[in-house]
Amino acid sequence: MAGEKKGLQLLDFWVSPFGQRCRIALSEKGLPYEYLEQDLGNKSELLLRSNPVHKKIPVLLHDGRPVCESLIIVQYIDEAFPGKDGKPALLPADPYARAQARFWADYVDKKLYDCGTRLWKLKGEAQQQARKEMLEILRTLDGALGDGKFFGGEAFGFADVAIAPFTAWFLTYERHGEFSVEEECPRLVAWAKRCGERESVAKNLTPPEKVYEFICGMKKRFGIE
Amino acid sequence: MEKTPENASQAAPLKLFGSWASSYTHRVQLALRLKGLEFEYAEEDLGSKSNELLRHNPVYKKVPVLVHGGRALPESVIILQYLDDAWPETRPLLPADAFDRALARFWCHFADDKLGPAVGAVFASMGEDQEAAVRQVHENLALIEAELRDGAFKGRRFFGGDEVGLLDVVLGCGSYWLAVFEEVTGVRLVDADAFPLFHAWLRDFEALDEVRETIPAVDRLLEYARGVRHMLLGLAGAGAAAASAAAAAPAEAPAAPAPAPAADIAVDI
C-alpha cells in the first residue's frame, strides 16, 4: 500500500529551510532516504494523509509512519538512530546543554522565519519595524554563539542543524533590509562558514542567490514590488 | 565541559520563578510535584518584573524560569524535558519510544501553537469574531478528540497512558481555563457530548492530587478572568490584534501588543 514503504522518506520542498534541517540531520547520521519533492500548490494525497493537521512539509516517513515538524523530526532522527559507530549524537548528553540547544532552536522557530517573511513582504513603516527586529534577532544569535565554534560548543549539534539553513537566507534579508550581516554579526557569519564546510550542510543548503531569486519570484506572483 | 556527577547536580537547589495565574508556571510546578522534587517558589509581579527574573531570562523576560544550581531554564516545555533529562530514573514524563516521543511533542506544540491562541481569541472577542474563534477552538478540540477515539491515544486514560505524561501536563495546565472562560463569556467551549473523551480525560486529570495542589481555586481564576475580560472589552475598540495578543497568554499581565500580523498571503514553506 502506498506510503508504507520500508525505510525513510522525506516529503519536502526544495528551498524550505525547515526541510533542510531534516536533510542535514539525515546526512550527519549517514542515513539513506528517499527525497520526495512536493508541489505545495497542489498537495499530494500522501502529504495530506501524512500531515492532516497542518498539511505542511517537512514530513519524515519511517516505515510508513509520519513524523511532522522539523525540530521534532530532527529529534526523532537523533533518538531513533542514536550516536554510535561513528554516527554523531545531535543533542549533547548533558541535560543543561540539551536545554540550551532546544532553547536556541526554538528561538529561531519563534522569531527568525516570521520576521524574515515580513522583511521581504512588507513596505514602509512595517518593513522598517521588521528590519529592526531582524537585527535584534541576529545580534541575539551572535551573542549566544559568543566565541564558540558552534552553538553547542566544540561539536556541531542540534542548534546548529536548526539554524544553519537560515544562513542561506541572509543575502535575501540583507538586500531587503539594507544591512550587512557580516558587519552586524561577524561571529555569526564565521559560524555560517564553518557550517558550510560540513558536507551535510554544503550539500543541502540552497545557494543564497537562488533563495533570493525564489523570493523575487514569490513577490512577483503576489504583486509585491 | 567538566562532567558533574549526576547525584551532585540532582542535589543542587531548585528555584521556580512564576506567576500564580500562569498555566505555563503550573506546568512546571506540576511536573516538579510529579517527580517528587523540592523547590523554592518566587511569585513574580508581571507588571513589575524582578531584576533576578530579567537576569535569568534576558531573551524573553517571562515566567516560568527554573533555576537549578544557579543555571536558568526558561520556556515551560523545555523545562519539562530538562526535568526528564536530569532525573531520568524518576517518573518519566516522556515515553521511551522515539515515535511516541515525537507524537507527544507534536501535540504539545499543537496545544501551544493552535489551541491556546484559539482559546485566547474567544476570550478577547465578541459577536461574530468570537463565533469564528469558537469554531476554531471546536475544530482544534475535534482533532484531539479524534486521536483519543481512533488515533495515537486510543484507549488511554491519559495521553501518557495509565499515568500522566508531558502532553497531559501541557494540555491539562491550561484546560481549566476552558470552564472559567465559559463561565465568564457565556460561550460553550467543551461540550461533554461533542468531546466526551476530552471531557473525561480532563475530569480525571483535575482529580489527581498533584493537580489539585497546583491549580488555583476556581473562584480566584474566575475573578482574575473577569478582570482581564473587562479590560480586553474596554480595549476592543483599540485594536483586536493587541487584545488577542494579550489574551493568548491570559495569565500574563497586559503585555505589550504583538506586532501586527504579516500580510495575509500565505507562503507555505
Side-chain angles (χ1 to χ4, degrees):
Chain A
M1 202 150 61
E4 275 162 36
K5 281 181 72 165
K6 279 267 164 211
L8 295 163
Q9 297 171 293
L10 184 66
L11 308 184
D12 202 348
F13 183 66
W14 66 281
V15 72
S16 165
F18 302 100
Q20 286 163 1
R21 289 166 163 176
C22 307
R23 290 176 240 169
I24 292 169
L26 288 162
S27 176
E28 285 285 320
K29 296 274 189 182
L31 294 165
Y33 65 98
E34 187 185 0
Y35 178 92
L36 295 170
E37 178 72 14
Q38 299 299 299
D39 179 355
L40 299 182
N42 182 21
K43 289 175 180 176
S44 70
E45 163 77 43
L46 181 59
L47 175 58
L48 295 175
R49 207 172 35 183
S50 303
N51 190 357
V53 173
H54 302 296
K55 307 173 174 56
K56 285 182 168 180
I57 57 92
V59 179
L60 181 75
L61 294 162
H62 186 191
D63 296 341
R65 292 203 301 180
V67 181
C68 305
E69 315 246 305
S70 61
L71 293 182
I72 295 175
I73 293 170
V74 173
Q75 286 183 91
Y76 174 79
I77 290 167
D78 204 32
E79 289 171 358
F81 304 95
K84 64 167 181 170
D85 307 333
K87 290 192 176 79
L90 295 174
L91 271 166
D94 176 69
Y96 185 67
R98 291 162 77 86
Q100 285 184 302
R102 287 183 173 128
F103 179 86
W104 291 111
D106 178 63
Y107 176 81
V108 168
D109 264 11
K110 279 182 163 68
K111 301 276 195 182
L112 186 55
Y113 186 71
D114 180 69
C115 181
T117 302
R118 282 184 283 122
L119 184 57
W120 64 257
K121 267 190 195 163
L122 305 179
K123 298 279 172 228
E125 185 62 51
Q127 190 186 41
Q128 284 308 305
Q129 177 63 30
R131 179 187 183 276
K132 188 164 164 250
E133 281 172 38
M134 178 55 76
L135 286 171
E136 198 186 306
I137 292 164
L138 294 172
R139 286 173 190 147
T140 302
L141 289 172
D142 190 86
L145 182 64
D147 296 317
K149 191 173 175 198
F150 295 110
F151 277 91
E154 275 302 302
F156 180 84
F158 184 73
D160 306 284
V161 174
I163 306 170
F166 292 92
T167 62
W169 292 68
F170 285 174
L171 180 70
T172 300
Y173 299 154
E174 285 174 330
R175 287 188 182 158
H176 287 88
E178 288 175 353
F179 60 85
S180 156
V181 182
E182 177 126 35
E183 264 172 45
E184 300 288 337
C185 307
R187 292 178 294 193
L188 196 61
V189 169
W191 163 80
K193 286 201 176 86
R194 282 194 290 278
C195 289
E197 285 160 9
R198 298 180 81 80
E199 200 191 329
S200 64
V201 174
K203 259 190 349 188
N204 290 306
L205 257 52
T206 311
E209 284 289 355
K210 285 257 171 276
V211 172
Y212 182 71
E213 218 177 276
F214 171 76
I215 291 302
C216 290
M218 291 295 290
K219 281 161 71 173
K220 272 206 184 74
R221 269 175 56 194
F222 293 120
I224 305 167
E225 291 278 295
Chain B
M1 192 192 296
E2 202 197 320
K3 180 142 175 67
T4 330
E6 214 173 87
N7 289 337
S9 67
Q10 283 186 342
L14 287 161
K15 183 172 179 181
L16 176 64
F17 293 80
S19 169
W20 74 271
S22 157
S23 49
Y24 304 103
T25 299
H26 300 154
R27 291 171 180 183
V28 182
Q29 288 170 316
L30 177 58
L32 288 163
R33 289 184 176 120
L34 289 169
K35 289 240 187 220
L37 298 170
E38 301 277 316
F39 63 99
E40 185 194 340
Y41 177 73
E43 175 71 17
E44 278 286 324
D45 175 357
L46 297 180
S48 173
K49 290 170 181 175
S50 72
N51 287 330
E52 228 186 323
L53 174 68
L54 297 177
R55 193 164 42 86
H56 287 310
N57 192 0
V59 174
Y60 296 120
K61 304 175 173 53
K62 283 181 169 182
V63 294
V65 178
L66 183 68
V67 181
H68 183 209
R71 299 200 294 192
L73 295 130
E75 296 297 290
S76 61
V77 178
I78 289 175
I79 296 171
L80 263 40
Q81 292 183 91
Y82 172 80
L83 292 177
D84 252 15
D85 287 339
W87 282 271
E89 72 290 344
T90 318
R91 185 85 191 255
L93 296 171
L94 272 163
D97 175 72
F99 188 75
D100 291 339
R101 292 160 79 90
L103 278 172
R105 289 176 175 135
F106 176 87
W107 289 105
C108 282
H109 189 239
F110 179 83
D112 278 349
D113 199 45
K114 300 284 177 202
L115 181 59
V119 173
V122 169
F123 191 63
S125 58
M126 290 181 301
E128 258 177 48
D129 288 339
Q130 193 181 57
E131 282 168 32
V134 171
R135 275 196 297 278
Q136 189 61 57
V137 171
H138 287 166
E139 267 173 44
N140 292 337
L141 287 176
L143 287 168
I144 297 173
E145 184 76 15
E147 293 300 321
L148 284 165
R149 191 179 53 241
D150 324 287
F153 309 112
K154 183 178 180 176
R156 297 191 193 183
R157 185 173 179 224
F158 297 111
F159 292 97
D162 294 327
E163 305 249 322
V164 297
L166 181 76
L167 182 54
D168 298 276
V169 174
V170 168
L171 263 176
C173 293
S175 289
Y176 45 79
W177 285 116
L178 291 166
V180 172
F181 290 176
E182 283 180 337
E183 174 80 30
V184 170
T185 64
V187 164
R188 203 89 187 87
L189 286 172
V190 188
D191 200 310
D193 295 324
F195 311 108
L197 295 169
F198 185 89
H199 207 260
W201 161 77
L202 188 55
R203 184 203 56 218
D204 285 353
F205 175 81
E206 289 175 353
L208 296 168
D209 289 335
E210 294 94 341
V211 176
R212 284 162 55 173
E213 218 184 308
T214 302
I215 299 189
V218 75
D219 33 284
R220 276 189 89 194
L221 294 175
L222 277 168
E223 189 192 327
Y224 180 85
R226 285 194 179 107
V228 177
R229 172 89 172 149
H230 185 79
M231 190 254 322
L232 287 172
L233 295 189
L235 283 172
S244 61
E252 306 265 359
D264 49 348
I265 306 159
V267 178
D268 220 5
I269 54 169

